[in-house]
Amino acid sequence: KNQVEQSPQSLIILEGKNCTLQCNYTVSPFSNLRWYKQDTGRGPVSLTIMTFSENTKSNGRYTATLDADTKQSSLHITASQLSDSASYICVVSASGTYKYIFGTGTRLKVLA
Amino acid sequence: GAVVSQHPSWVICKSGTSVKIECRSLDFQATTMFWYRQFPKQSLMLMATSNEGSKATYEQGVEKDKFLINHASLTLSTLTVTSAHPEDSSFYICSARETGRVSGNTIYFGEGSWLTVV
C-alpha cells in the first residue's frame, strides 16, 4: 500500500534555531517527492520537488534531501523565523499515475 | 509563476442548499485538476480527479452525486456540494496539473475555500 508518513507530528522551536522534518514513504514505483508549506487556512505552496536522481535541493533557508534507497526524505529549515510557523506536507507521486499521496504533515510552531 | 485561483474563498450556506466552488488556472492550461477536502489539523484528502471533457474519477467513499465535479474547459473546474449538510463544512482545496510541461508533473494548489453549512 502506498503510504507517506511524516514525523514529528508537531514541533515547537525558538526563532533562529534549525530543525529537520522527516518523511518516509512506501510509494512504488517512485516518481517524485515534494515538500509543501501550508499556512493555516491557505492552500499549500511548493517548496521543493525532487526526482529519483536528486539527493538534495534547496530553496532559500529550506533544504530537502532524498534517499531513494531507504525511501526517506528530510526538510531542513535553517535559522527559523516566526513566519515559518505552518504545516509542512510531504507529497509523493508514483510513476504512470497522477495520484499524489499526501503525508499527514508536521505542524511547526516557531516562538519568539 | 503559475497561479490557481479558487472562488469563493469562503461561503456560508443553509442546510439543504447547493454551493458551487470554482477552480481556475489563470496562466496555464490544466487537463487534470484535483479536489481535496481538509479537516482541521489533518492533511489533504483527495476527493476526486477531474479531467477536462470527461467524467471525474472519485475516490472511494466520496459520493459523486453529492459532490458534482465539472471540468468543462482547460482552465476551469467546478465542485458543487449538493444538498449541503453541516457535516459538509470543511476546507476544500483544488490543484491543477500543468499540461505540456517538460517535467510533466507540475501541480499548483489553489488558496482553498472554506465552506460552512448552517
Side-chain angles (χ1 to χ4, degrees):
Chain A
K1 181 180 179 182
N2 289 330
Q3 286 185 316
V4 177
E5 295 184 350
Q6 290 185 243
S7 62
Q9 192 173 48
S10 61
L11 181 63
I12 301 174
I13 61 173
L14 294 176
E15 186 178 15
K17 299 295 185 182
N18 304 334
C19 67
T20 301
L21 315 180
Q22 300 291 341
C23 174
N24 297 336
Y25 62 92
T26 59
V27 178
S28 181
F30 175 84
S31 176
N32 60 67
L33 183 147
R34 310 156 189 265
W35 282 95
Y36 284 90
K37 177 186 178 186
Q38 184 180 22
D39 293 313
T40 301
R42 307 290 296 275
V45 175
S46 180
L47 295 176
T48 63
I49 175 172
M50 289 184 292
T51 58
F52 184 88
S53 60
E54 296 176 295
N55 299 121
T56 184
K57 184 166 282 190
S58 292
N59 178 359
R61 293 180 297 102
Y62 301 102
T63 300
T65 65
L66 174 65
D67 186 334
D69 292 330
T70 61
K71 298 186 177 181
Q72 295 179 327
S73 175
S74 66
L75 179 68
H76 186 76
I77 304 175
T78 304
S80 61
Q81 300 176 359
L82 298 178
S83 59
D84 293 330
S85 296
S87 289
Y88 292 84
I89 305 170
C90 174
V91 184
V92 182
S93 65
S95 298
T97 174
Y98 298 144
K99 286 291 183 70
Y100 301 89
I101 296 94
F102 284 77
T104 52
T106 293
R107 292 195 305 280
L108 173 66
K109 181 69 175 177
V110 180
L111 300 178
Chain B
V3 176
V4 175
S5 172
Q6 271 187 248
H7 178 80
S9 300
W10 57 271
V11 57
I12 302 173
C13 70
K14 291 184 177 180
S15 288
T17 63
S18 297
V19 60
K20 180 185 288 186
I21 301 171
E22 294 184 347
C23 178
R24 293 182 183 273
S25 56
L26 296 185
D27 52 359
F28 66 96
Q29 293 185 331
T31 305
T32 306
M33 291 185 174
F34 306 89
W35 285 97
Y36 307 84
R37 186 173 179 176
Q38 187 176 33
F39 293 104
K41 298 183 178 180
Q42 295 188 23
S43 190
L44 284 73
M45 180 189 76
L46 179 65
M47 297 175 65
T49 301
S50 167
N51 296 297
E52 186 267 336
S54 64
K55 291 183 178 181
T57 302
Y58 290 82
E59 295 300 301
Q60 190 174 10
V62 178
E63 299 176 56
K64 61 180 181 180
D65 293 330
K66 179 166 186 62
F67 298 100
L68 300 179
I69 291 173
N70 183 278
H71 194 158
S73 77
L74 287 172
T75 59
L76 173 64
S77 175
T78 60
L79 168 68
T80 301
V81 182
T82 63
S83 187
H85 290 116
E87 56 264 32
D88 297 326
S89 300
S90 188
F91 189 51
Y92 293 88
I93 305 176
C94 74
S95 68
R97 188 181 74 88
E98 187 173 1
T99 305
R101 292 270 296 180
V102 174
S103 65
N105 218 5
T106 306
I107 59 173
Y108 303 94
F109 284 87
E111 282 294 311
S113 299
W114 286 99
L115 170 63
T116 301
V117 184
V118 297

